[in-house]
Amino acid sequence: MTDAFYLPDPQRPDRFLSTELTRGPWSPDAQHAGPPSALLGHVIERCEPRPGFQIGRVAVEILGPVPLAPLTAQAHVARRGRSVELIEATLSTDRGPVMRANAWRFKLAEPELPVPEPYVPSGTRPGVEQGSTQPFPSSEPVGFHTAIEYRFVTGSFVEPGPSICWIRIKHPIVAGTDPSPLERTLAAADSGNGVSSVLDWTRYLFINTDLVVSLHRQPVGEWVCLDAVTYPQTHGIGLAESALYDEKGPLGRSTQTLLLGAR
């Protein structure tokens, strides 16, 4: 078995071969949205990089199930600017686009601004060492759930309601590269609806149609913490929201709009 989510195609630099580690919980033939979101982050960061700039927001639109198939990943600068610029990226199969993303890249202040100390919610957030592993509700022997480490501080996959969960990817997003902080965060943030699920996995779907991640600083370390909650509605639309942390403290937020329904 390979040790990466995607393998670069030696014939085409914009093409990546999906491995079994990308498999998601809803279908054995479809990817979890975390790896392809991170792959979009991979190409976004490599799109005409500019020293002194940093990605502050990524909005991913999931156009349909992403098959375990070769993906073409392309990015371009859609709006240039001296202080902020917009990057657009697309993931496509041979049948057409399956995911799109918009990313805002910000110029870092130089010299640094004299801002007050950031607000930190009261209380100490438990560290990863205080979390525990929980079984993932999947019968598949290989998939995204086997390529990730989960440490639940509160809640679990099968305990309905909010949770605090630390997540670490165990493999590179693209073989031969080290996962960047942005890639790690995008891969983890897409699990917000899973770790804070409120419906029975065996009877219902709660599939996200998007993933929006806003970061006010770059995460440090391998672990990303999701303080996640899902807001379901009887008409079949829900929202999953996660406060994102690392070992230093708060680093951003993520949201997912959910389609709720019976399996």
Side-chain angles (χ1 to χ4, degrees):
M1 184 180 68
T2 183
D3 60 353
F5 293 97
Y6 300 98
L7 305 178
D9 187 333
Q11 304 301 320
R12 289 182 52 181
D14 64 346
R15 195 167 175 84
F16 301 87
L17 309 180
S18 305
T19 72
E20 286 188 299
L21 298 181
T22 64
R23 180 179 288 115
W26 305 118
S27 167
D29 301 319
Q31 299 188 32
H32 188 288
S37 295
L39 181 59
L40 284 167
H42 179 85
V43 298
I44 285 170
E45 289 187 302
R46 287 161 174 76
C47 178
E48 301 182 33
R50 297 178 66 180
F53 278 70
Q54 183 174 297
I55 300 295
R57 175 183 177 272
V58 179
V60 178
E61 307 294 344
I62 304 169
L63 307 180
V66 181
L68 272 70
L71 298 175
T72 299
Q74 298 175 324
H76 68 278
V77 178
R79 184 266 194 197
R80 301 182 185 277
R82 289 181 297 176
S83 299
V84 294
E85 60 185 17
L86 179 66
I87 302 172
E88 295 179 348
T90 305
L91 284 185
S92 303
T93 68
D94 291 340
R95 295 186 175 184
V98 290
M99 295 179 75
R100 292 194 180 102
N102 292 328
W104 283 105
R105 187 158 58 188
F106 295 79
K107 183 178 181 180
L108 302 177
E110 182 61 41
E112 294 185 347
L113 303 176
V115 298
E117 288 295 317
Y119 167 74
V120 178
S122 60
T124 301
R125 187 163 304 279
V128 63
E129 69 281 354
Q130 297 172 262
S132 62
T133 59
Q134 300 289 340
F136 188 86
S138 174
S139 59
E140 294 295 331
V142 179
F144 185 67
H145 60 288
T146 65
I148 295 291
E149 285 191 61
Y150 297 93
R151 294 290 185 273
F152 280 91
V153 176
T154 63
S156 75
F157 287 114
V158 296
E159 178 183 338
S163 76
I164 298 176
C165 182
W166 290 87
I167 298 176
R168 181 182 79 90
I169 58 174
K170 298 189 291 186
H171 305 282
I173 298 300
V174 176
T177 68
D178 293 325
S180 72
L182 179 64
E183 291 173 31
R184 292 184 179 278
T185 304
L186 290 171
D190 191 70
S191 291
N193 60 325
V195 300
S196 67
S197 59
V198 294
L199 297 173
D200 186 340
W201 286 75
T202 64
R203 298 177 57 198
Y204 297 97
L205 300 168
F206 34 95
I207 302 174
N208 57 306
T209 59
D210 57 24
L211 172 66
V212 180
V213 175
S214 297
L215 298 174
H216 53 81
R217 67 173 175 84
Q218 286 285 287
V220 297
E222 295 186 340
W223 291 90
V224 177
C225 181
L226 277 61
D227 189 341
V229 59
T230 292
Y231 303 97
Q233 297 298 323
T234 57
H235 55 238
I237 302 175
L239 174 71
E241 182 180 27
S242 300
L244 304 178
Y245 293 79
D246 62 11
E247 296 174 1
K248 291 181 61 178
L251 60 92
R253 292 266 174 176
S254 66
T255 61
Q256 300 162 286
T257 311
L258 307 179
L259 170 67
L260 311 178
R263 278 186 177 268

